[in-house]
Amino acid sequence: MFFLNQMSTILQMGFIYAIVGLGVYITYKILDFPDLTVDGSFPLGGVVFSVLLVNGCPWYIGMIAAFAAGAVAGIVTGLLHVKLKINGLLSGIITMTALLSVNYLIAGGAQVAFSQIDTLLHNALLDSLPRAAANYVAVLFLFLFVVFCKVLLDLFLKTKSGFMLRATGDNPQLVTQMGRNTDNYKILGLAIANGLVGFAGSFYCQNGSVYNSSMGTGTVVIALACVIIGCVIAKHIRVMANTTGVVIGAVLYYAILTAALLLLGSDYTKLIVAVLFVLVLVLDSGLIGRTLKGFVRPRRFRKEAGGKMDA
């Protein structure tokens, strides 16, 4: 039973951060934009969802509003960058910092609880099931939404606007030569990315039936780790799309994090996250692979040289 509970928790958190990872994939891998808005748009989506829910809105309206709120946050970052010519990293920091106060004002405090209100992940139907079964039904719901977001993103990237978005990150001169404005595509990419992050924030709040002002801390670090792990996996499995890799990377990340926390305890959470992120960056840089190749090749060379001398 303990294993089943842990596995359901890993899958739930993994799928929630997979949606965040899909958003960060747009800014980090496609636009090559260092967007720190994520740490603010994640709780923004959560607080908008929570406040609407406690004020009588259905959960699905709250989730749509969470996406829209995240998209607005991304647009603000984009406008700061392309219209006011503020550095991309600083634009994200400015928006994220402002959202700390905005989120507090929307919530009217540091926390909004709604444990007695039905949501997608907590409702009368799920409450009537055994706890383990209810957890896995919630996992199924999350999985379906992850697939929905992934498929829509893949389809969008195959459209003309999606091509222009990818070209904006890879070859902005090409976009300019085609008579298009790269600034508009940067804003579009940031809006979609943070919209997905805000959408994931609504799931995070549903998972615990509460919004907490500290929920966004470190979101961008976790999401980047998921994206890097996923892209490394997709690079070695050529038939796999990067977006699929991001989903798998998010689940793997939370599986490793959970195992580390069970071994070392929750007191070392931040340290474990930092160490995991360093390991992921090393993996992304290819340092491990180059080291192994450097270790294997000299041994092969010595064996071949020894064989020639014997001959």
Side-chain angles (χ1 to χ4, degrees):
M1 185 62 70
F2 176 77
F3 174 78
L4 289 175
N5 289 335
Q6 289 299 321
M7 183 56 66
S8 66
T9 300
I10 289 169
L11 291 173
Q12 286 180 27
M13 296 305 297
F15 288 149
I16 289 171
Y17 276 93
I19 299 175
V20 180
L22 290 173
V24 172
Y25 171 76
I26 296 172
T27 54
Y28 179 71
K29 284 293 186 181
I30 295 179
L31 287 178
D32 193 23
F33 188 95
D35 184 28
L36 294 184
T37 313
V38 172
D39 273 14
S41 57
F42 185 67
L44 174 64
V47 71
V48 167
F49 172 83
S50 302
V51 169
L52 287 176
L53 194 69
V54 298
N55 282 282
C57 280
W59 57 265
Y60 49 87
I61 299 295
M63 291 174 65
I64 295 171
F67 179 91
V72 170
I75 290 171
V76 171
T77 298
L79 291 174
L80 289 174
H81 175 59
V82 304
K83 299 301 181 183
L84 300 183
K85 306 302 179 184
I86 299 174
N87 175 274
L89 182 64
L90 291 176
S91 298
I93 292 173
I94 291 169
T95 306
M96 176 194 69
T97 305
L99 285 175
L100 294 175
S101 295
V102 171
N103 293 341
Y104 189 87
L105 289 173
I106 294 174
Q111 184 172 297
V112 179
F114 48 89
S115 58
Q116 303 302 316
I117 304 176
D118 284 356
T119 64
L120 177 65
L121 302 183
H122 288 283
N123 52 59
L125 174 62
L126 294 182
D127 291 341
S128 66
L129 299 174
R131 183 179 176 183
N135 287 340
Y136 279 97
V137 172
V139 167
L140 176 62
F141 288 157
L142 283 168
F143 175 73
L144 292 175
F145 271 94
V146 169
V147 172
F148 175 73
C149 292
K150 176 209 148 15
V151 170
L152 280 186
L153 180 58
D154 286 341
L155 291 175
F156 169 74
L157 292 176
K158 292 178 181 178
T159 64
K160 186 175 182 180
S161 295
F163 170 78
M164 290 296 179
L165 183 67
R166 286 184 280 126
T168 298
D170 292 335
N171 190 357
Q173 292 80 13
L174 174 63
V175 180
T176 304
Q177 290 171 4
M178 294 178 69
R180 301 300 180 92
N181 190 339
T182 57
D183 291 348
N184 293 337
Y185 288 102
K186 286 182 180 179
I187 295 173
L188 174 64
L190 286 165
I192 296 172
N194 284 282
L196 286 171
V197 173
F199 191 60
S202 70
F203 278 116
Y204 187 91
C205 289
Q206 289 182 65
N207 191 51
S209 295
V210 64
Y211 159 78
N212 192 295
S213 60
S214 64
M215 63 177 270
T217 306
T219 302
V220 69
V221 173
I222 297 172
L224 278 174
C226 298
V227 170
I228 293 170
I229 293 172
C231 289
V232 169
I233 293 171
K235 184 167 65 176
H236 289 86
I237 304 176
R238 295 184 179 180
V239 296
M240 181 183 292
N242 281 337
T243 49
T244 303
V246 169
V247 175
I248 295 172
V251 176
L252 280 177
Y253 176 87
Y254 260 93
I256 297 169
L257 179 62
T258 301
L261 289 173
L262 288 174
L263 290 173
L264 300 176
S266 58
D267 293 337
Y268 300 96
T269 302
K270 299 299 181 184
L271 177 61
I272 293 170
V273 169
V275 171
L276 281 176
F277 190 63
V278 171
L279 292 175
V280 167
L281 290 175
V282 171
L283 180 68
D284 186 48
S285 68
L287 179 62
I288 296 174
R290 291 195 300 270
T291 302
L292 290 174
K293 287 179 181 179
F295 176 73
V296 172
R297 284 176 181 173
R299 292 184 62 183
R300 287 181 178 174
F301 177 78
R302 286 195 297 270
K303 286 181 179 180
E304 290 173 2
K308 289 179 181 178
M309 291 179 65
D310 293 338

